Amino acid sequence: MTDLILTPNLDNADGFYADLVTAHDGLGRPDSDALNARLVLILANHIGNEDVLSQALKAATLKDS
Amino acid sequence: MTRSPRHDHAAGQDRVRRRRQSIGEEPMNKIFEVPLYAYERSPDQDAASSVRHKVIVIGAGPIGLATAIDLAQQGVEVVVLDDNDKVSFGSRAICFSQRTLDIADRLGAGQPMVEKGVFWDAGKVYFDDRQVYEFNLQPDTGYANPAFINLQQYYFEKAFVERIRELQADGAPVEIRGRNKVEAIGTHDDHVKLEVETPEGPYNVEADWLIACDGANSPTRRMLGLDFEGRVFEDNFLIADVVMEADFPSERWFWFDPPFNRGQSALLHKQPDNVWRIDLQLGWDIDKEQEKRPENVIPRLKAMLGEDVKFDLEWVSIYTFQCRRMERFRYGRVLFAGDSAHQVSPFGARGANSGLQDADNLCWKLKLVIDGKAPELLLDSYSRERVEAADENIRMSTRSTEFITPKSDMSRLLRDAVLDLSEHYEFARPLVNSGRLSTPCAYSGSSLSSADALNGPDITRPGSACPDAPLGDEFLLPKLAGKFTLLTIDADAPDSIEEGGVEATRLALSVKDDPTLELKRRYLGDAASAAYLIRPDQHVAARRDTFEENAFRQAIRRATGKE
């Protein structure tokens, strides 16, 4: 089973975060929510691995960690 | 400069002074009370016509004092004018970065700062009503100076003033004139004229060059009709110096959206003398008079520190800032350095630290221009390089500001998600942004840098500030101070080369000089040998795998504004 990475792994954490916030600039809440949903699906497709995605879904609940 | 504007930055008002409440009127710290550069009549005031100086610096804050020391060490005659006569009141700038300490070492004042300063390596991050994580900084090894120290600005200034006294005793041409307030400035092609007010009346004085280090509210900038551009962000902070018992932990505590300061942030920081600095963010639209009243301040402090903790307020102030800079930092014979040229949010300690790097960048260039060894155009590179640095600092501190005070609902949702995740998972902690400690700008597109000709580490590419490295019992940086250096590592080269009156002296090293291999890691990487041309401010001008005379002669010409 491939382990979900929960240690720091971003090349440029601050740059990514700034880009993420900027991507929402000027969007109303429904459009912002939709953008996040699309982003989740795009990243999930990139990951692909079912084990990893299942661990990620669990981790996001903040339970049992 | 005027204490109140520098002290309150953009607002220039709303300052309160408060003594320790428990010990009546006894001054907490005599350093605030005794004039460090008391007014004395200058022969200039009795001269029949205006006396001309080489350089006049306006403002005896950290940047003005550093500038004066740097010039005086190079034998350039310099007079500092300040409308006050004491160090700054209250802690103000408190976090000094490694690069600042390296510069202070070059200026002969670093040691007392590091001895007095405190270092913390543990911190706690709070979100809402709970601690989400704590951390321990891993100490960096192989550097003479720590990553940063916390030190009240008044101690920083005092160390610089003492250094100036030392230089004066050695006969260096440097002078600080207290209670000399510049009232008017006339600019000319080859000099400036100043009208200066003193307790004994006004006098006129001239200088070939004027350096304005007179703070965020810079009267020089105003008198010349110049303004800041780009107002990115504005906020108010209540800042307090609090004296507590020594056993209170020496840690940095940061609160996001705490119950005692809803929607805002709070920061607790250790300083020397059992003084803790507290920064409470207040937002832009607040009643400053209301906020700084003790009956409003003290309950908040109790909520932060704990009801049982005994503390005394040494100093309370409202601090206002904006993120912006001047379009350029040179206007003919007038140069701007420090807060007078650029302002950032306090997150990341980029105010005084970037100002010190301004002085570091400017002084060697001015010396070459004054000596006729470089064209005046070299000074435009001061503006270009430090504008690049100011933009980087504004960008970095704006990111911190966005994290601490999200501008939109979605930004807040993402921020809160990061904080919630940080409580459970290590990966989210690097995303928590309560300020990124200032690191020196690598002047990426500088016209003074030659194209990189070494397959070496990124941290020492042309434009970068040289990282320190251990050399047995010694360190590298003190050997690179104040002159052009031809650093060779396992490469042949002559002892010195001179080009257009500018000499670069060789420092011949081998990877064997550093058994820890940091020198190799920082300066060679995978390369077998290297030759570096290093500027007097310890930034890399050029590098190759071997010394090649023509290339290095050209690099010297480039680095001095001649190509």
Side-chain angles (χ1 to χ4, degrees), chain B residues 337-358:
Chain B
D339 280 0
S340 73
H342 45 77
Q343 272 190 274
V344 294
S345 85
F347 309 119
R350 288 162 188 276
N353 286 312
S354 69
L356 257 287
Q357 291 164 52
D358 291 345

Side-chain angles (χ1 to χ4, degrees), chain A residues 5-10 12-18 20-21 24 29 32-33 36 58-60 62-63 65, chain B residues 396 399 402-403 407-411 413-416 418 420-421 424-428 430-433 436:
Chain A
I5 299 168
L6 286 169
T7 50
N9 190 42
L10 289 161
N12 175 3
D14 285 349
F16 163 71
Y17 189 82
L20 179 59
V21 170
H24 290 277
R29 189 55 188 267
S32 251
D33 287 344
N36 280 340
K58 198 169 173 194
L62 299 181
K63 286 174 194 153
S65 67
Chain B
M396 297 291 279
R399 283 180 181 175
E402 179 63 42
F403 194 88
K407 283 197 307 283
S408 66
D409 286 348
M410 183 51 67
S411 183
L413 192 79
L414 290 166
R415 194 279 305 266
D416 291 353
V418 166
D420 284 333
L421 286 165
H424 298 265
Y425 306 116
E426 194 192 336
F427 89 88
L431 289 163
V432 173
N433 190 342
R436 299 284 182 240

Side-chain angles (χ1 to χ4, degrees), chain B residues 21 30 57 119 142 145 153 201 253 257-258 332 340-342 362 367 383-384 389 448 466 484 500:
Chain B
Q21 295 178 327
K30 288 238 175 353
V57 172
F119 183 77
N145 281 314
Q153 183 174 329
W253 294 359
D257 196 10
S340 73
H342 45 77
L362 173 60
K367 162 74 175 167
S383 182
R384 284 194 304 272
L448 305 191
C466 287
F484 274 95

